[in-house]
Every structure is written in C-alpha cells, then in structure tokens.
Amino acid sequence: HNTGKSTAGLYIMVRKLYELSCYINIPRLFQLMSNTLICFIYFTVSKSQAELTGFGQMKNIIDTIPYFREQFPRNDRLNSMLVFPNRMLFLYGSSTEHAIGLNVIGSILDEANFFQQGAQDPTKTQTDYNKISNLYTSIINRGKSRFLTNGKDNSMSVLISSNTTNKSFTDSR
C-alpha cells in the first residue's frame, strides 16, 4: 500500500467524513439551512490529475471500508463525485472556480508546489504562486465563514507537497 503524504491526507478526510456522518442533521451543527450541501474537495494541478490520483484513491478507500458500504454508502451509480447521505459530497478540482458557492468543510491541496512547475519564466512562476496562494486562502476563508462555531473553525484543510525550493508555496506557508 502507498502510505505517503497524499494518502495520509485522504485518511484525515475519511475520518472527518466519518465523524460528520454520525450526526443526523449535519448543517444544523453549523447553523446552516438543513438542505445545505456539505463538501470535501481534493485539489491538485489539473482536474484530470485530481481524478487519476487523490480523487480516484479516495473512491477506492471509501469503497473498501465496511462502514461506508453498509452504514453511510455513497451513490455508486455516480463516479464523477462521491455523493453520500445527508447532502455530503466529495469532489475534485484544480482552481478556485471549482469551489465557488460550495460549503467546503474539508479540502486537500495536493502537490501545491507543482502548480509552479515548468516555469523558467519568473513571471509565470509568480503567476502560479499567486494562483495557489489565492486558492489556499479562498478555501481557508470559505471554511471559516461557514463552519465557525463558538470561535472554533470546524473546517479542515490539508496542504501537501514536497518542498521543492526555498521560494516554494509550502516553504513560505
């Protein structure tokens, strides 16, 4: 089994999903309307990469855990996203636009430094650095704005990447 950084991040989200699944009305925990969608998102450099890596791995993990097969099953007729009972979703994306309007309680930003990949051009590196920084900030702010109760941020964001240079996003973070 692969037990690297990305896998650890996925299991952290599995645990958060499990904890929330123990409640009947999850949105009410956060003073949200009862029909509110609660989302987890896996981000990486491209949507196709996300589907092939973390999202695909998450689907496999969920499908092998008896609790998620028997007590809190996903809609197995839909594979472009993981749809669970009580309006819980696990999606994937590569940019801020993929989270617009969503109530993101859990996110993984994987291979953050590789959003800058292939950039010998310093302006391209800066543009990509700004893109990842904006994505990360947007997700953090989105979680705090929706899932803050009694001063506690109940959202969770996992930032994963190898530290490629001393100017990388994870190094500055």
Side-chain angles (χ1 to χ4, degrees), residues 24-43:
I24 293 170
N25 189 339
I26 299 160
R28 183 171 289 161
L29 292 172
F30 310 106
Q31 291 78 47
L32 298 170
M33 293 179 12
S34 61
N35 64 345
T36 300
L37 287 171
I38 307 291
C39 301
F40 291 82
I41 301 183
Y42 175 87
F43 289 102

Side-chain angles (χ1 to χ4, degrees), residues 112-114 116 125 129 132 161-173:
N113 294 329
F114 294 95
Q116 302 168 202
T125 300
Y129 182 93
I132 191 64
S161 198
S162 301
N163 197 357
T164 52
T165 72
N166 64 355
K167 294 180 183 174
S168 65
F169 178 74
T170 54
D171 186 60
S172 66
R173 182 69 196 118

